[in-house]
Amino acid sequence: MPFQRIVIAVGRPEEATHPAALKAALAEFISTLIFVFAGQGSGLAFSKLTQNSPTSPAALIIASLAHGFALFVGVSTGANISGGHLNPAVTFGALVGGNITLLRGILYWIAQLLGALVANLLLKFVITDVVISGFSLSAGVGVWEALVFEIVMTFGLVYTVYATAIDPKKGELGVIAPIAIGFIVAANILVGGPFTGASMNPAVAFGPAVVAGSWAQHWIYWAGPLIGGGLAGIVYELFFIGFTHEPLPAAEY
């Protein structure tokens, strides 16, 4: 099987201020805010109801369901405008596969990080008796084990995004893309939640880290998802799509 090279499109300078790109970035901001507010908020609500009791199997299931449902909604709301990434690792995977320009990717990253940050600030404002904490490794979990956890989980997430949303051969499968993406995140939380918190998303980790001022081992929640997302983009593009990137039409960005 011949391998095709992958081309990363930088994009034209005017793309940064093009109305379509700005609308897409705004959609990423709003959809990410919706997703993070519901997902992160579910954990805070559980802590309030249980008087800040230690993490339990019930908390894990609640976190899994809340994040899965919220991501399903978030992806659905943004799909027709921005593609519904809601995650810098998904955007990075699309970038290395040649399916989004670098300039638009940067707009998405900024919007996603701001959306997650605003969601956490809103949660801090409305929930005053529960402390927001950043992602951290559980006792006994080493740095490298955690990194591999985040790489593998995010690989599965971005691979699912490619198969159901990006692949031009997806056909009617694209209709179930949001729920499939929500399902894989929910399943990964059940697997990785007790060990790393199962971020799979640098924006999700960034928001509470800023609000809580907690940066210990924060790099894992960037390196792992970006490596996993990038690998998924490269693998799917090379083995299942081939070289499909073409220069963006003059009227689109």
Side-chain angles (χ1 to χ4, degrees):
M1 179 180 63
F3 289 101
Q4 304 287 350
R5 64 192 180 96
I6 290 177
V7 174
I8 295 178
V10 175
R12 295 182 290 275
E14 58 268 25
E15 181 174 3
T17 57
H18 191 276
L22 295 177
K23 286 179 181 178
L26 179 59
E28 284 293 305
F29 170 80
I30 294 173
S31 295
T32 304
L33 189 156
I34 292 170
F35 163 54
V36 175
F37 187 88
Q40 183 83 0
S42 69
L44 298 176
F46 183 86
S47 295
K48 180 176 177 61
L49 291 174
T50 58
Q51 286 76 50
N52 295 303
S53 65
T55 302
S56 65
L60 180 63
I61 293 172
I62 289 172
S64 171
L65 291 175
H67 282 83
F69 287 149
L71 186 58
F72 165 53
V73 173
V75 171
S76 298
T77 59
N80 292 330
I81 306 170
S82 66
H85 292 190
L86 284 65
N87 184 340
V90 171
T91 301
F92 185 66
L95 173 66
V96 299
N99 293 286
I100 188 174
T101 67
L102 176 61
L103 288 177
R104 179 176 283 230
I106 292 173
L107 288 177
Y108 280 23
W109 288 330
I110 294 171
Q112 291 155 359
L113 293 174
L114 287 176
L117 177 57
V118 171
N120 276 271
L121 289 172
L122 288 171
L123 287 169
K124 184 178 181 180
F125 177 76
V126 298
I127 304 176
T128 59
D129 53 350
V130 180
V131 177
I132 293 178
S133 59
F135 278 75
S136 62
L137 308 185
S138 298
V141 178
V143 168
W144 299 113
E145 292 89 343
L147 181 63
V148 172
F149 242 124
E150 289 292 327
I151 290 173
V152 174
M153 290 187 294
T154 312
F155 180 94
L157 166 59
V158 177
Y159 188 89
T160 301
V161 171
Y162 258 86
T164 61
I166 294 178
D167 192 333
K169 304 185 298 294
K170 63 183 182 294
E172 294 183 358
L173 187 64
V175 176
I176 69 163
I179 196 168
I181 294 166
F183 277 172
I184 188 60
V185 165
N188 279 341
I189 289 175
L190 292 175
V191 176
F195 303 97
T196 69
S199 167
M200 297 170 277
N201 186 332
V204 167
F206 177 77
V210 172
V211 172
S214 174
W215 300 98
Q217 298 164 330
H218 183 71
W219 66 273
I220 293 172
Y221 299 101
W222 281 83
L226 290 178
I227 292 171
L231 286 174
I234 291 171
V235 168
Y236 202 97
E237 185 70 30
L238 286 179
F239 287 94
F240 303 113
I241 295 179
F243 180 59
T244 59
H245 176 76
E246 298 179 356
L248 297 176
E252 299 181 7
Y253 295 90

